[in-house]
Every structure is written in structure tokens, then in C-alpha cells.
Amino acid sequence: MRILIVEDDADISANLYDYLAARGHSVDAAPNGLVALHLATSQSFDAIVLDLGLPGIDGLTLAQRLRRDARLSVPILMLTARDTLDDKLAGFDAGADDYLVKPFALKEVEARLLALVKRAQGRVVDACLRLGELEYDPACGELRWRKIPLLLPPKAMQLLVTMLRQPGHLFSRNELEAAVWGEAQETSDALRTQLSQLRRALTLDDGRCPLVTVHGRGYKLVDPDD
Ligand code: CA
């Protein structure tokens, strides 16, 4: 993992740095919020260990600026002193993902970081696919069209999810057949059948449909509300 340590206490920072580097991680350290802000926005990290009490920009403000201003979603593990329990809760509001109370075991820091990074990667993998009001949630396999769950035969579903991964992209017949059946079909009847099922399921009362045929070239998904 690439980890940024933000800690003004030189001993704690060095301990964290040495331990995490010895465990094979690539580590950077910042002694204050300003340096941290610069590093975090100019380089990419898998996780940030952030001390709450920092000179200049404190940990809460920094977390807020990373989330709200710099729009970074990098996981943040907040370090806090035992007597600042309320700050811990404020830390979550500011965008911290987890916290550890000082003094902490170095092993625990690494374990928490690994868990945060794993969770963050899971979030990316499980992100909903969306085009206007057409949504697919890979986590539960649910497809929703205008907020209503849509039940489709498996092949039609596969077809729609394939297209939903690249909204607006013009898919050729071969491309769609390869994505759903693994190879181009002898005849295009199977694809035509699935596409007409899809079109029926998606067409609105006023006739608009997100599935568009571009004659002679292929098919694409568009947001009919655009
Ligand atoms: Ca401190």
C-alpha cells in the first residue's frame, strides 16, 4: 500500500514510518497539515493515517478539505488522544473512515489500514452502474428502471448490464454477442430476440426508450430524459 502519515510528533511518526516501511509499504510522512494537503493532492495514496492534533491545519479540518475541496475518497484512519472522545465523532463527520486511540499498537494500525483499503476497493467494484433513471446494483444484482425493480431473463439482463457499463457507446452486433454468448452467433436471431425483450421492458408510455438502434451499425443506451 502507499500510505501517507500525517503526524507532528516526530517519535510517533518515525515509529509508524519504520514499522509500515518494514512491512513492505511505500510510506510518506508529513509533519503538518499544509505539507499533508500538498502531498495528498499531488500524489496518490491508498490510505492516510491522520493525527487529530496538528499545528496549523488540524486533523479534522484537513480531513474536511481532502473530502470536500479536493474530492478525495482515499480512506483516512484518524489518530486521537484518549481525552478527545467527542472529537472522534466529529472526525467521522469530517470524513475519517476509522480511528485509533493513542497509544496504539503498530500492528493494529496496519490491520485497520488493510481493512479500510479492502473496503474502499470493494466500494469501487460494487459501485452502481447508472444511466439517468436506469440503475444496476452489482452488490445485489438488482436492476431498477425509474425506481422500480426490473425483472429480465438472464441473457437480456447480461446484455443490458454490458451496455450500461459504457453508456452512449455504439455496440456492434458482434460486440454484444461476444459479451453475452462468448462469441458471435451463426444467426443474429438470438440477439434480436433479447434486444426486443429489452426494448419492451424499457419503453416508456410515451414511446421513449433508452435502448436505441442505429440502423446498420449497432445499438446504444442513452438517457431518454436528456
Ligand atoms: Ca499531534
Side-chain angles (χ1 to χ4, degrees):
M1 293 189 285
R2 278 216 71 192
I3 301 162
L4 175 63
I5 299 166
V6 191
E7 169 64 83
D8 60 313
D9 184 310
D11 289 338
I12 296 179
S13 180
N15 276 342
L16 281 168
Y17 189 104
D18 291 346
Y19 180 80
L20 292 170
R23 298 279 303 157
H25 303 293
S26 155
V27 192
D28 264 304
N32 60 55
L34 218 54
V35 174
L37 198 58
H38 172 70
L39 282 172
T41 50
S42 61
Q43 299 178 31
S44 106
F45 294 93
D46 297 310
I48 297 178
V49 181
L50 178 58
D51 181 31
L52 185 67
L54 291 170
I57 312 173
D58 68 62
L60 288 183
T61 312
L62 182 63
Q64 230 163 38
R65 288 176 69 169
L66 290 175
R67 290 278 187 263
R68 288 180 202 164
D69 303 342
R71 303 238 148 252
L72 290 178
S73 58
V74 53
I76 295 175
L77 174 64
M78 192 79 90
L79 302 179
T80 166
R82 192 167 289 281
D83 56 358
T84 51
L85 215 68
D86 286 344
D87 290 333
K88 244 169 17 190
L89 300 172
F92 282 99
D93 281 344
D97 298 280
D98 197 4
Y99 66 86
L100 268 180
V101 174
K102 292 177 179 178
F104 46 78
L106 290 164
K107 227 171 129 175
E108 179 75 10
V109 173
E110 191 196 22
R112 298 282 186 106
L113 287 173
L114 285 168
L116 285 180
V117 169
K118 208 168 152 195
R119 211 163 76 198
Q121 284 164 350
R123 268 206 300 267
V124 173
V125 172
D126 290 341
C128 274
L129 300 175
R130 190 169 286 128
L131 173 65
E133 289 199 75
L134 187 58
E135 284 178 299
Y136 176 70
D137 183 352
C140 59
E142 189 176 75
L143 188 66
R144 285 179 296 267
W145 173 221
R146 294 179 113 78
K147 314 240 181 318
I148 298 163
L150 195 61
L151 290 172
L152 289 172
K155 293 286 182 204
M157 176 82 143
Q158 228 176 315
L159 204 53
L160 185 60
V161 172
T162 299
M163 297 182 80
L164 203 46
R165 286 187 200 285
Q166 290 175 269
H169 173 75
L170 183 65
F171 288 89
S172 67
R173 259 178 201 188
N174 283 351
E175 222 176 322
L176 289 177
E177 286 173 345
V180 176
W181 287 274
E183 56 186 15
Q185 301 289 291
E186 292 280 302
T187 70
S188 46
D189 286 352
L191 179 64
R192 203 173 300 133
T193 307
Q194 300 301 329
L195 283 169
S196 57
Q197 294 222 33
L198 259 187
R199 199 171 291 114
R200 261 202 308 281
L202 296 172
T203 300
L204 299 167
D205 290 343
D206 61 10
R208 288 176 301 149
C209 180
L211 179 59
V212 172
T213 305
V214 182
H215 287 289
R217 296 181 57 205
Y219 308 88
K220 63 180 178 178
L221 275 186
V222 298
D223 181 359
D225 295 318
D226 268 352

